[in-house]
């Protein structure tokens, strides 16, 4: 008799941030697969079979812009962050049982925003602005939407009886409510994050340590 299936949904931005805090270095594909291996050992999943791991993030922007003060051209595709992100995605997509669901990143029309620390410094002691006082103003599009839609699809098509969601974002509460009403068990993994709202935990069936 076939076991009931479950899926693991990884909020990529959240996962890589928590792994960086833990390991004090940029997360690798092996770090993420190790994390999934740990999740699969949960007693709550012993009667289930893994369907797939879904990883959600946004493609790094390859746009170019001018530095805010010096006006030198700044090509985002040449930055270490771009290369690290692209390398991670290239490795993850080749991992067995992994599927990537990617949104996009976009620069704001101005491209830059003043860093909070620079603003404090300027209030304390006025001086000329430098490029280092600014950070890129980038927004992600479509990541949370893809997570919510996949949760609904897995539930409505009866592809999974349980879903493990690795996130700390309370915006997913409506999606949690929906799939639970459809009879799907929701397991939340917060990776020890301290800022998780109680509402997110309340609408999960289990919170995995």
């Amino acid at each position: 008799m076939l076991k009931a299936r479950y899926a693991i949904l990884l909020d990529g931005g959240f996962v890589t941030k928590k792994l960086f805090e833990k390991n004090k270095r940029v997360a690798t594909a092996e770090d993420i697969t190790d994390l999934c291996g740990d999740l699969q050992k949960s007693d709550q999943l012993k009667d289930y079979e893994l369907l797939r791991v879904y990883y959600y993030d946004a493609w790094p922007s390859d746009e170019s812009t001018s530095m805010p003060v010096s006006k030198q051209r700044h090509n985002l595709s040449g930055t270490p962050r771009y290369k690290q992100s692209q390398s991670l995605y290239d490795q993850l997509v080749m991992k067995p049982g992994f599927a990537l669901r990617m949104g996009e990143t976009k620069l704001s029309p101005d491209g830059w925003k003043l860093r909070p620390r620079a603003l404090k410094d300027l209030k304390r002691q006025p001086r000329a602005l430098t490029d280092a006082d600014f950070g890129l103003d980038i927004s992600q599009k479509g990541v949370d939407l893809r997570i919510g839609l996949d949760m609904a699809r897995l539930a409505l098509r009866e592809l999974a009886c349980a879903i493990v969601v690795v996130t700390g974002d309370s915006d997913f509460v409506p999606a949690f409510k929906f799939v639970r009403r459809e009879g799907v068990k929701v397991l939340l993994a917060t990776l020890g994050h301290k800022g998780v709202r109680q509402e997110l935990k309340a609408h999960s069936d289990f919170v995995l340590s």
Side-chain angles (χ1 to χ4, degrees), residues 164-206:
V164 181
V165 187
V166 186
T167 189
D169 191 345
S170 59
D171 287 347
F172 295 122
V173 166
F176 280 26
K177 289 181 177 180
F178 178 85
V179 297
R180 290 180 77 198
R181 285 196 296 266
E182 294 298 317
V184 174
K185 183 183 295 184
V186 176
L187 295 85
L188 173 67
T190 63
L191 306 184
H193 187 59
K194 302 297 184 183
V196 179
R197 290 178 56 182
Q198 189 65 26
E199 185 181 15
L200 188 65
K201 297 178 181 179
H203 292 288
S204 308
D205 292 292
F206 299 97

Coordinates of all heavy atoms in Angstrom, one line a residue, residues 164-206:
V164 N 5.0 20.7 4.6 CA 6.0 21.3 5.6 C 6.3 22.7 4.9 O 6.9 22.7 3.8 CB 7.2 20.5 5.7 CG1 8.2 21.1 6.7 CG2 6.9 19.1 6.2
V165 N 6.1 23.8 5.7 CA 6.4 25.1 5.2 C 7.5 25.7 6.0 O 7.3 25.8 7.2 CB 5.2 26.0 5.1 CG1 5.5 27.3 4.5 CG2 4.0 25.3 4.4
V166 N 8.6 26.0 5.4 CA 9.8 26.6 6.2 C 9.7 28.1 5.9 O 10.1 28.6 4.8 CB 11.1 26.0 5.7 CG1 12.2 26.5 6.6 CG2 11.0 24.5 5.8
T167 N 9.3 28.8 6.9 CA 9.1 30.3 6.8 C 8.9 30.9 8.1 O 8.7 30.2 9.1 CB 7.9 30.6 5.9 OG1 7.9 32.0 5.6 CG2 6.6 30.3 6.5
G168 N 9.0 32.2 8.2 CA 8.6 33.0 9.4 C 7.6 34.1 9.1 O 7.4 35.0 9.9
D169 N 7.0 34.0 7.9 CA 6.2 35.1 7.3 C 4.7 34.8 7.6 O 4.1 33.9 7.1 CB 6.4 35.1 5.8 CG 5.8 36.4 5.2 OD1 5.0 37.0 5.8 OD2 6.2 36.7 4.0
S170 N 4.1 35.7 8.4 CA 2.7 35.5 8.8 C 1.8 35.8 7.6 O 0.6 35.6 7.7 CB 2.4 36.4 10.0 OG 2.7 37.8 9.7
D171 N 2.3 36.3 6.5 CA 1.4 36.6 5.3 C 0.8 35.3 4.8 O -0.1 35.3 4.0 CB 2.2 37.2 4.2 CG 2.5 38.7 4.5 OD1 1.9 39.2 5.5 OD2 3.3 39.3 3.8
F172 N 1.4 34.1 5.2 CA 0.9 32.8 4.7 C -0.3 32.3 5.5 O -0.7 31.2 5.3 CB 2.0 31.8 4.7 CG 3.1 32.2 3.7 CD1 4.4 32.3 4.1 CD2 2.8 32.3 2.3 CE1 5.4 32.7 3.2 CE2 3.8 32.7 1.4 CZ 5.1 32.9 1.8
V173 N -0.7 33.0 6.5 CA -1.8 32.5 7.4 C -3.0 32.2 6.5 O -3.6 31.1 6.7 CB -2.1 33.6 8.5 CG1 -3.5 33.3 9.1 CG2 -1.1 33.6 9.5
P174 N -3.5 33.0 5.6 CA -4.7 32.7 4.8 C -4.5 31.3 4.0 O -5.4 30.5 3.9 CB -4.8 33.8 3.9 CG -4.2 35.0 4.6 CD -3.1 34.4 5.3
A175 N -3.3 31.1 3.5 CA -3.0 29.9 2.8 C -3.0 28.7 3.7 O -3.5 27.6 3.4 CB -1.6 30.0 2.1
F176 N -2.5 28.9 4.9 CA -2.5 27.8 5.9 C -4.0 27.4 6.2 O -4.4 26.3 6.3 CB -1.8 28.2 7.2 CG -0.3 28.2 7.2 CD1 0.4 28.2 6.0 CD2 0.4 28.0 8.4 CE1 1.8 28.1 6.0 CE2 1.8 27.9 8.3 CZ 2.5 28.0 7.1
K177 N -4.8 28.4 6.5 CA -6.2 28.2 6.8 C -6.9 27.4 5.6 O -7.7 26.5 5.9 CB -6.9 29.5 7.0 CG -6.6 30.3 8.3 CD -7.4 31.6 8.4 CE -7.1 32.3 9.7 NZ -7.9 33.6 9.8
F178 N -6.6 27.9 4.4 CA -7.3 27.3 3.3 C -7.0 25.8 3.1 O -7.9 24.9 3.0 CB -6.9 28.0 2.0 CG -7.5 27.4 0.7 CD1 -8.8 27.8 0.3 CD2 -6.8 26.4 0.0 CE1 -9.3 27.2 -0.8 CE2 -7.4 25.9 -1.1 CZ -8.6 26.3 -1.5
V179 N -5.7 25.4 3.2 CA -5.3 24.0 3.0 C -5.7 23.1 4.1 O -6.1 22.0 3.9 CB -3.8 23.8 2.7 CG1 -3.4 24.6 1.4 CG2 -2.9 24.3 3.8
R180 N -5.7 23.7 5.3 CA -6.2 22.9 6.5 C -7.7 22.6 6.3 O -8.2 21.5 6.7 CB -5.9 23.7 7.8 CG -4.5 23.7 8.2 CD -4.3 24.4 9.4 NE -4.6 23.6 10.6 CZ -4.8 24.1 11.8 NH1 -4.8 25.4 12.0 NH2 -5.1 23.3 12.8
R181 N -8.5 23.6 5.8 CA -9.9 23.3 5.6 C -10.1 22.2 4.5 O -11.1 21.6 4.5 CB -10.6 24.6 5.1 CG -10.9 25.6 6.3 CD -11.9 26.6 5.9 NE -11.4 27.5 4.8 CZ -10.8 28.6 4.9 NH1 -10.5 29.1 6.2 NH2 -10.4 29.3 3.9
E182 N -9.1 22.1 3.6 CA -9.2 21.0 2.6 C -8.7 19.7 3.1 O -8.5 18.7 2.4 CB -8.4 21.4 1.4 CG -8.9 22.6 0.7 CD -10.3 22.4 0.1 OE1 -10.5 21.3 -0.4 OE2 -11.2 23.3 0.2
G183 N -8.3 19.6 4.4 CA -7.9 18.4 5.0 C -6.4 18.1 5.0 O -6.0 17.0 5.3
V184 N -5.6 19.1 4.6 CA -4.2 18.9 4.6 C -3.5 19.3 5.9 O -3.9 20.4 6.5 CB -3.6 19.8 3.4 CG1 -2.0 19.7 3.4 CG2 -4.1 19.3 2.1
K185 N -2.6 18.5 6.4 CA -1.9 18.8 7.6 C -0.8 19.8 7.3 O 0.0 19.6 6.3 CB -1.3 17.5 8.2 CG -0.6 17.7 9.5 CD 0.0 16.4 10.0 CE -1.1 15.4 10.3 NZ -0.5 14.1 10.9
V186 N -0.7 20.8 8.1 CA 0.4 21.9 7.9 C 1.4 21.8 9.0 O 1.0 21.9 10.2 CB -0.3 23.3 7.8 CG1 0.8 24.3 7.7 CG2 -1.2 23.4 6.6
L187 N 2.6 21.6 8.6 CA 3.7 21.6 9.6 C 4.6 22.8 9.3 O 5.1 23.0 8.2 CB 4.6 20.3 9.5 CG 3.8 19.0 9.9 CD1 3.1 18.5 8.7 CD2 4.8 18.0 10.4
L188 N 4.8 23.6 10.3 CA 5.6 24.8 10.2 C 7.0 24.7 10.8 O 7.1 24.2 11.9 CB 4.9 26.0 10.9 CG 5.6 27.3 11.1 CD1 5.8 28.0 9.7 CD2 4.9 28.3 12.0
A189 N 8.0 25.0 10.0 CA 9.4 25.0 10.5 C 9.9 26.4 10.5 O 10.0 27.0 9.4 CB 10.2 24.1 9.7
T190 N 10.2 27.0 11.6 CA 10.7 28.4 11.7 C 12.2 28.5 11.9 O 12.7 29.6 12.0 CB 10.0 29.1 12.9 OG1 10.3 28.5 14.1 CG2 8.4 29.0 12.7
L191 N 12.9 27.4 12.0 CA 14.3 27.4 12.2 C 14.8 28.3 13.4 O 15.9 28.9 13.3 CB 15.0 27.9 10.9 CG 14.6 27.1 9.6 CD1 15.4 27.6 8.4 CD2 14.8 25.6 9.8
G192 N 14.0 28.3 14.4 CA 14.4 29.0 15.6 C 14.2 30.5 15.5 O 14.7 31.2 16.4
H193 N 13.5 31.0 14.5 CA 13.3 32.4 14.3 C 12.5 33.0 15.5 O 11.4 32.4 15.8 CB 12.7 32.7 13.0 CG 12.6 34.2 12.7 ND1 13.7 35.0 12.5 CD2 11.5 35.0 12.4 CE1 13.3 36.2 12.2 NE2 12.0 36.2 12.2
K194 N 13.0 34.1 16.1 CA 12.3 34.6 17.2 C 11.1 35.5 16.9 O 10.3 35.8 17.8 CB 13.3 35.4 18.1 CG 14.5 34.6 18.5 CD 14.2 33.5 19.4 CE 15.4 32.8 20.0 NZ 15.1 31.6 20.8
G195 N 11.1 36.0 15.7 CA 10.0 37.0 15.4 C 8.8 36.4 14.8 O 8.0 37.2 14.1
V196 N 8.5 35.1 14.9 CA 7.3 34.5 14.3 C 6.1 34.9 15.1 O 6.0 34.7 16.3 CB 7.5 33.0 14.2 CG1 6.3 32.4 13.6 CG2 8.7 32.6 13.5
R197 N 5.1 35.4 14.4 CA 3.8 35.8 15.0 C 3.1 34.6 15.5 O 3.1 33.5 14.8 CB 3.0 36.6 14.1 CG 3.6 38.0 13.9 CD 2.7 38.8 12.9 NE 1.3 38.9 13.4 CZ 0.4 39.5 12.7 NH1 0.6 40.0 11.5 NH2 -0.8 39.6 13.2
Q198 N 2.4 34.7 16.6 CA 1.7 33.6 17.2 C 0.6 33.1 16.3 O 0.2 31.9 16.2 CB 1.1 34.0 18.5 CG 0.4 32.9 19.3 CD 1.5 31.8 19.8 OE1 2.6 32.1 19.9 NE2 1.0 30.6 20.0
E199 N 0.0 34.0 15.5 CA -1.0 33.6 14.5 C -0.6 32.6 13.5 O -1.4 31.7 13.2 CB -1.5 34.9 13.8 CG -2.7 34.7 12.9 CD -3.1 35.9 12.1 OE1 -2.3 36.9 12.1 OE2 -4.3 35.9 11.6
L200 N 0.7 32.7 13.1 CA 1.2 31.7 12.1 C 1.3 30.3 12.7 O 0.9 29.3 12.1 CB 2.5 32.1 11.6 CG 3.1 31.3 10.4 CD1 2.3 31.5 9.2 CD2 4.6 31.8 10.1
K201 N 1.7 30.3 14.0 CA 1.8 29.0 14.7 C 0.4 28.5 15.0 O 0.2 27.2 14.9 CB 2.6 29.2 16.0 CG 4.0 29.6 15.8 CD 4.7 29.8 17.2 CE 6.2 30.3 17.0 NZ 6.8 30.5 18.3
A202 N -0.5 29.3 15.3 CA -1.8 28.9 15.7 C -2.6 28.2 14.5 O -3.4 27.3 14.8 CB -2.7 30.1 16.2
H203 N -2.2 28.6 13.3 CA -2.9 28.0 12.2 C -2.0 26.9 11.5 O -2.3 26.6 10.3 CB -3.3 29.1 11.1 CG -4.3 30.0 11.7 ND1 -5.7 29.6 11.8 CD2 -4.3 31.3 12.1 CE1 -6.4 30.6 12.3 NE2 -5.6 31.6 12.5
S204 N -1.1 26.4 12.3 CA -0.3 25.2 11.8 C -0.8 24.0 12.7 O -1.2 24.2 13.9 CB 1.2 25.4 12.0 OG 1.6 26.6 11.4
D205 N -0.6 22.8 12.2 CA -1.0 21.7 13.0 C 0.2 21.3 13.9 O 0.0 20.9 15.1 CB -1.3 20.5 12.1 CG -2.6 20.7 11.3 OD1 -3.6 20.7 11.9 OD2 -2.5 20.9 10.1
F206 N 1.4 21.5 13.5 CA 2.6 21.3 14.3 C 3.7 22.3 14.0 O 3.8 22.7 12.8 CB 3.2 19.9 14.0 CG 2.2 18.7 14.4 CD1 1.5 18.2 13.4 CD2 2.1 18.3 15.7 CE1 0.6 17.1 13.7 CE2 1.2 17.2 16.0 CZ 0.4 16.7 15.0

